[in-house]
Amino acid sequence: IFADRSELSGFKIRSGDLFGISVNSNFSVVSNNDVQGCMAGIILNKAHGNLIQNNSIMVACDGLSGLLSGSFSQGGGDGIQLIQCYNNTIRDNSIENGFIGIFLDTSSGNLVEGNRVKGSTNGIGLLSAVGNDIVDNTVQKVSTQGIGLLKFSNDSTIKGNTVEESG
């Protein structure tokens, strides 16, 4: 999605190689989609003020893409990935498998709320991400970290989350 103020809702999307949905726009809505992607189910890149809500995401790689992703057991990349994104809302999504369920990289002022992550290597991860709110999410059956704040991630609110059966 490259056009600002777009809406993508109600689609079934299958991508064996890269991303299920790529958002490079501002103030768009991505909701009620059934997404399967390899490198990421939904990726936001330099995208601001978007709403990502009520999507069902399965991270799965097949064939050569699975080999190149380096993760046969967990299926590939990230469920929802934000790169240099600000003031987005990631709410009530269901994510299965992959490396990180929800990953914020160099992103600030985002709300991650009410999401369910299951079966990933890591549940929710922040890297160089400042001032985000991670609230009321459920992370289950991840093999490493439920919620991880990596280097240069600070001033975020982490509250009301549930982590079960984490590595």
Side-chain angles (χ1 to χ4, degrees), residues 84-100:
Q84 297 180 11
C85 295
Y86 309 97
N87 302 320
N88 296 286
T89 298
I90 311 301
R91 179 181 290 138
D92 297 329
N93 298 286
S94 175
I95 300 147
E96 288 192 46
N97 298 337
F99 184 63
I100 303 176

Side-chain angles (χ1 to χ4, degrees), residues 3 27 30-32 37 44 54-55 61 74 77 79-80 87 104 110 135 146 149 157 159:
F27 309 108
V30 176
S31 64
N32 302 307
L44 285 75
N54 291 326
N55 297 287
C61 296
Q74 297 301 328
I80 298 175
N87 302 320
L104 281 65
N110 298 289
V135 181
L149 278 68
T157 300
K159 69 176 183 178

Side-chain angles (χ1 to χ4, degrees), residues 1-11 21-33 42 44 47-53 55 88-89:
I1 301 172
F2 288 96
D4 289 347
R5 302 186 194 296
S6 297
E7 183 171 343
L8 181 68
S9 184
F11 285 89
I21 298 171
S22 180
V23 179
N24 298 59
S25 63
N26 302 313
F27 309 108
S28 294
V29 175
V30 176
S31 64
N32 302 307
N33 297 292
I42 299 174
L44 285 75
H48 316 298
N50 296 290
L51 174 62
I52 309 300
Q53 181 171 284
N55 297 287
N88 296 286
T89 298

Side-chain angles (χ1 to χ4, degrees), residues 17-141:
D17 293 329
L18 294 174
F19 314 113
I21 298 171
S22 180
V23 179
N24 298 59
S25 63
N26 302 313
F27 309 108
S28 294
V29 175
V30 176
S31 64
N32 302 307
N33 297 292
D34 179 1
V35 181
Q36 180 176 313
C38 180
M39 298 308 291
I42 299 174
I43 184 169
L44 285 75
N45 188 12
K46 298 180 183 173
H48 316 298
N50 296 290
L51 174 62
I52 309 300
Q53 181 171 284
N54 291 326
N55 297 287
S56 175
I57 300 164
M58 171 71 76
V59 180
C61 296
D62 298 320
L64 183 58
S65 296
L67 178 63
L68 295 176
S69 75
S71 178
F72 288 111
S73 63
Q74 297 301 328
D78 303 327
I80 298 175
Q81 185 179 69
L82 282 69
I83 302 171
Q84 297 180 11
C85 295
Y86 309 97
N87 302 320
N88 296 286
T89 298
I90 311 301
R91 179 181 290 138
D92 297 329
N93 298 286
S94 175
I95 300 147
E96 288 192 46
N97 298 337
F99 184 63
I100 303 176
I102 300 172
F103 183 47
L104 281 65
D105 182 355
T106 320
S107 297
S108 300
N110 298 289
L111 172 63
V112 178
E113 178 181 45
N115 299 286
R116 293 160 307 285
V117 177
K118 183 176 179 182
S120 299
T121 301
N122 299 283
I124 299 172
L126 286 74
L127 173 65
S128 298
V130 177
N132 296 287
D133 293 325
I134 312 299
V135 181
D136 297 330
N137 298 285
T138 301
V139 177
Q140 298 175 309
K141 297 182 181 180

